[in-house]
Amino acid sequence: MNCYECRRVSGTTNPAEAVCSQCGAGLCSAHVRIEKREVHQPHGLGKSSADLPGRRIVCPVCERAEHSE
Ligand SMILES: [Zn+2]
Ligand SMILES: [Zn+2]
């Protein structure tokens, strides 16, 4: 599977490393958005994600849709 965002935005082909849990689009490391499942925290807390209860992977489009309210 290739990154859907790379194809859609720039027409390039990059191998996908993750899949959006919302729309199922393949995502490369540049386009993947990882969210904490429990709380919405701002970025840059310097905290490792290893001890978090869960994570959710979304694409930039789904992330924007969710935070547009
Ligand atoms: Zn990409
Ligand atoms: Zn998506």
Side-chain angles (χ1 to χ4, degrees):
M1 184 187 287
N2 293 322
C3 175
Y4 180 74
E5 280 299 300
C6 281
R7 266 241 324 251
R8 188 178 69 86
V9 173
S10 56
T12 56
T13 300
N14 271 320
E17 298 182 356
V19 175
C20 175
S21 62
Q22 290 290 320
C23 67
L27 299 166
C28 71
S29 58
H31 286 120
V32 67
R33 300 288 184 268
I34 298 177
E35 294 190 342
K36 285 83 174 180
R37 192 179 292 166
E38 305 291 308
V39 288
H40 285 288
Q41 287 180 318
H43 296 291
L45 292 184
K47 198 164 170 251
S48 165
S49 61
D51 59 343
L52 288 167
R55 75 184 161 199
R56 205 164 66 93
I57 293 175
V58 294
C59 70
V61 174
C62 291
E63 181 191 46
R64 206 177 309 133
E66 288 179 4
H67 294 286
S68 63
E69 299 169 15

